Amino acid sequence: MTFFLIVTLNGLTLAALYFLAASGFSLIFGLMRTVNMSHGAMLMLGGYVGYSVVDATGSWAIGVLCGGLAASAAGAIVQAGVLGWMQGDELRQTLASIAISIIMADLMLWYWGGITYQVELPDALAGGQRLPWLGVGYATIRLALIGFALVTGLALWIFIQKTRMGAIIRAGVDDQQMLRALGYPINKIFVLVFALGGMLAGMAGVIAASALSIAPGTDLQFLLSSLVVVIVGGMGSVGGAALGALLVGLAEQYGLAYAPTYGVVFTFAIMVVVLAVRPQGLLGKAEQ
Amino acid sequence: MRYALILIPFLVLPLLLDDFWLTQVLTRALILGITALSLSFLATYLGVVSFAQAALAGAAGYTIAYFGPNSVEIGIELPFWASIPLALIIATAFGGLIGLIARRSRGIYAIMITLAIGVAFFYFTRQNYAFFNGWTGFSGIRAPLIGELSLRAPVPLYIMCLLTAGLAMALVDGFARSPMGLTIQAVRDAPGRVMALGIPVTTPIVAAFAFSGFLAGTGGILNVWFQERISSFTVGFGPIIDILIIAVIGGLRHPSGAFIGAIVYVLLDTFAVDFIDRERFNLLIGSVLLLIIIVAPNGLQQLVLDGGTRLRGTALKPDKNP
């Protein structure tokens, strides 16, 4: 029983990490219908920059912030410089973002090399906690992940649903022409969305590099998990990303614990079942 | 017949070129071209860009490795007349299965789903030791012998790949004109109308994916004979993206773009070392890909065709498959 509960807790913390990683991807996709395949690379950029900053300054918070800002700048540049010119041609945008992801991954490999890095945690998050009922030790950072995910999810939801900026972005998705006619600079708004998505990816990258580690290939790992999370949960809804992350995280940990060599199959089976029943994802809106 | 005529000049190349050019450039380009053709076929006629082609090719390659001579003591050795059809059947069935999973998804959704399938297959081959021998995979795989002649020798391998490529192009051409091929194109253009006519949409989509699996499987078999080994890296993210790069560089408007893309890719891969650091190849190929997508979204093939039109000063006859 204890084993089962620990595996469940592992699943929950992993789900939190997946949600953090997928939220930026889901945001950009949901608002702009752009599949940003360079999302994994942005996450990795955030992780690497975060590592270097923490290494230099010793402050974890500044590291997370700088990682987020670096990926945010990368996102803005990608949208303003390349993808913005292809707005409306989704396939071309997807292919272009793949090219960008290849370039970014190679540049990062060039600069940071093929070494595995782990970001040093602040004292408050390092070490472990003794869990009250189970009586076993558990890493504090992994418990903190759940908190980070809740805060991020809530903030994102408030931003999109409750603020004026969020309303403008939502309007831009529904009717670009009208918003432009009303005098809103739609291209700048889309660059902003990309910057925000990059920010989320970059911060998730630093957190992932602290809780786990970061090395070449991390980009692909999180791109895949984000894809599956978003496919399962439903494209472009915060709640969908949360539900998708929960299912995938739990499935992966149960799979790892009870059927080690077939872990991937569980994740995959969930995706297939969801697609068979609800192609738009569990909480996604059907395509018009 | 058209393809037979195109093949003739290529048949004399073994007399002119040395083994390096023949094997490392032309044969490699042909094998990559056949695999990328499976993607170009789907993109041209079904309008779906699939990222699962490396997994399909890998499934056939792994079958050949598992049921053939290898040096890792896994699997059952079958004669080649049994293992080759088996590999093709498995690749075709796997293709059909992917089609079934992705049948209701188009455009970017199909990309995400097939990418997830492709990458999941990669992680699966890495974790599973019973069938895929995990990380290390299979080595010591041998191509069949015909009498004393090994099909892995440069000239026989080249000729075999060339004929297979010609046959694959002819098959694609014939399949596209067949009633099923026409239905597939109808599904691409107007799925709603096809359904309104009372034709189920699932069958053509699954058929297109299955045929694409057959093509990819052919490429996968040739590749495993060429490389003489197969491992999880053969179906990893690198090969997935390489196939896409080849198809996009060549152009997704017509299946033959795959071979144009393949030769450009192999030439870059082989000779880029002379200009840039070997380690930075991804930077080069990524930049080339980005440039092509920005400048010529329909690939090199379209650039050549447009150039030809401008030279002649006449409009090219409208593409049958826009």
Side-chain angles (χ1 to χ4, degrees):
Chain A
M1 194 57 198
T2 313
F3 181 67
F4 176 78
L5 287 177
I6 289 176
V7 171
T8 309
L9 192 59
N10 281 343
L12 286 178
T13 54
L14 187 67
L17 187 59
Y18 280 171
F19 173 76
L20 286 171
S23 58
F25 183 79
S26 180
L27 177 82
I28 291 175
F29 184 83
L31 296 179
M32 297 169 56
R33 323 306 288 163
T34 302
V35 179
N36 177 24
M37 290 284 191
S38 61
H39 181 76
M42 286 180 187
L43 186 142
M44 198 159 76
L45 177 69
Y48 276 134
V49 170
Y51 169 80
S52 296
V53 170
V54 173
D55 202 39
T57 63
S59 161
W60 191 72
I62 296 178
V64 173
L65 191 68
C66 288
L69 287 176
S72 167
I77 292 169
V78 164
Q79 169 66 15
V82 181
L83 300 184
W85 301 99
M86 307 169 185
Q87 205 67 50
D89 193 345
E90 294 160 348
L91 182 61
R92 212 169 145 205
Q93 283 183 321
T94 310
L95 296 176
S97 67
I98 289 172
I100 291 166
S101 147
I102 296 170
I103 296 171
M104 279 178 73
D106 205 46
L107 288 175
M108 285 185 271
L109 181 65
W110 199 354
Y111 188 76
W112 277 283
I115 315 160
T116 303
Y117 294 104
Q118 191 170 18
V119 175
E120 207 176 316
L121 288 165
D123 291 338
L125 294 174
Q129 300 278 332
R130 187 154 286 276
L131 296 175
W133 303 293
L134 300 172
V136 289
Y138 204 80
T140 315
I141 176 73
R142 302 208 60 167
L143 294 172
L145 279 177
I146 299 179
F148 289 139
L150 288 176
V151 170
T152 307
L154 200 65
L156 206 56
W157 182 79
I158 290 174
F159 173 71
I160 295 172
Q161 297 297 333
K162 302 291 171 197
T163 65
R164 189 174 156 75
M165 193 62 218
I168 295 172
I169 293 173
R170 277 182 291 133
V173 176
D174 289 340
D175 196 339
Q176 262 189 56
Q177 305 290 331
M178 184 53 84
L179 200 69
R180 193 171 277 143
L182 288 172
Y184 287 99
I186 189 87
N187 292 335
K188 280 188 192 152
I189 290 171
F190 280 169
V191 171
L192 188 84
V193 172
F194 245 85
L196 187 63
M199 182 94 192
L200 287 168
M203 287 165 72
V206 186
I207 291 170
S210 319
L212 308 168
S213 62
I214 193 161
T218 308
D219 53 344
L220 175 63
Q221 190 194 334
F222 280 101
L223 177 64
L224 176 73
S225 72
S226 302
L227 278 173
V228 177
V229 161
V230 168
I231 292 172
V232 169
M235 322 262 176
S237 79
V238 178
L243 183 63
L246 209 56
L247 279 174
V248 173
L250 285 172
E252 207 171 303
Q253 287 301 319
Y254 288 134
L256 208 60
Y258 295 105
T261 56
Y262 294 92
V264 177
V265 180
F266 284 90
T267 316
F268 183 65
I270 290 183
M271 194 182 88
V272 171
V273 170
V274 168
L275 282 174
V277 185
R278 272 182 78 84
Q280 70 272 35
L282 290 175
L283 296 184
K285 276 178 281 189
E287 284 287 283
Q288 53 283 54
Chain B
M1 272 325 286
R2 210 149 49 92
Y3 297 107
L5 288 175
I6 298 173
L7 287 185
I8 291 171
F10 289 99
L11 280 172
V12 297
L13 281 180
L15 302 173
L16 306 171
L17 298 173
D18 58 22
D19 280 359
F20 172 78
W21 270 90
L22 204 59
T23 310
Q24 293 303 326
V25 178
L26 290 180
T27 304
R28 213 178 133 215
L30 282 167
I31 293 173
L32 285 170
I34 294 169
T35 315
L37 176 66
S38 73
L39 171 58
S40 299
F41 163 77
L42 272 185
T44 310
Y45 296 111
L46 188 62
V48 167
V49 177
S50 161
F51 279 58
Q53 305 311 107
L56 291 171
Y62 269 114
T63 313
I64 291 287
Y66 187 85
F67 290 108
N70 63 57
S71 58
V72 293
E73 311 280 313
I74 287 181
I76 309 146
E77 194 166 337
L78 293 179
F80 279 103
W81 55 261
S83 66
I84 296 169
L86 189 65
L88 289 175
I89 289 169
I90 286 179
T92 310
F94 190 19
L97 183 70
I98 293 173
L100 207 57
I101 295 168
R103 70 185 183 282
R104 291 207 257 173
S105 315
R106 335 230 95 216
I108 42 179
Y109 296 86
I111 287 189
M112 289 198 262
I113 288 157
T114 50
L115 179 63
I117 293 173
V119 179
F121 183 76
F122 161 66
Y123 282 122
F124 184 58
T125 58
R126 203 168 245 213
Q127 287 180 353
N128 185 287
Y129 280 82
F131 297 107
F132 299 100
N133 200 25
W135 186 284
T136 36
F138 293 85
S139 55
I141 300 159
R142 285 195 310 276
L145 293 167
I146 298 179
E148 289 293 295
L149 180 76
S150 167
L151 285 179
R152 178 62 179 82
V155 176
L157 186 68
Y158 169 73
I159 299 285
M160 182 170 64
C161 291
L162 185 66
L163 295 180
T164 313
L167 204 62
M169 274 306 293
L171 262 181
V172 167
D173 216 36
F175 189 71
R177 286 163 207 261
S178 72
M180 182 52 91
L182 293 172
T183 319
I184 290 169
Q185 293 168 63
V187 171
R188 170 197 66 196
D189 294 335
R193 289 194 206 178
V194 174
M195 275 194 278
L197 286 171
I199 303 169
V201 194
T202 307
T203 321
I205 293 176
V206 171
F209 269 97
F211 183 67
S212 153
F214 179 81
L215 292 173
T218 314
I221 294 174
L222 291 173
N223 190 42
V224 78
W225 287 340
F226 174 65
Q227 305 282 355
E228 301 184 302
R229 62 192 145 81
I230 188 165
S231 69
S232 55
F233 296 101
T234 317
V235 295
F237 193 59
I240 292 177
I241 292 298
D242 289 347
I243 294 171
L244 178 86
I245 290 174
I246 289 167
V248 172
I249 289 181
L252 292 172
R253 291 277 288 273
H254 191 275
S256 61
F259 293 100
I260 301 174
I263 191 77
V264 171
Y265 176 86
V266 171
L267 287 175
L268 275 178
D269 189 26
T270 314
F271 296 105
V273 220
D274 299 341
F275 307 106
I276 57 157
D277 192 355
R278 171 77 245 177
E279 302 279 301
R280 296 282 78 82
F281 176 68
N282 274 348
L283 194 60
L284 175 76
I285 198 74
S287 310
V288 169
L289 181 65
L290 188 60
L291 194 72
I292 297 262
I293 294 165
I294 291 172
V295 180
N298 292 318
L300 289 177
Q301 195 184 38
Q302 199 63 31
L303 275 190
V304 174
L305 286 181
D306 287 353
T309 319
R310 229 168 282 141
L311 279 180
R312 267 177 278 136
T314 51
L316 212 68
K317 67 173 189 253
D319 197 342
K320 267 184 305 184
N321 309 299

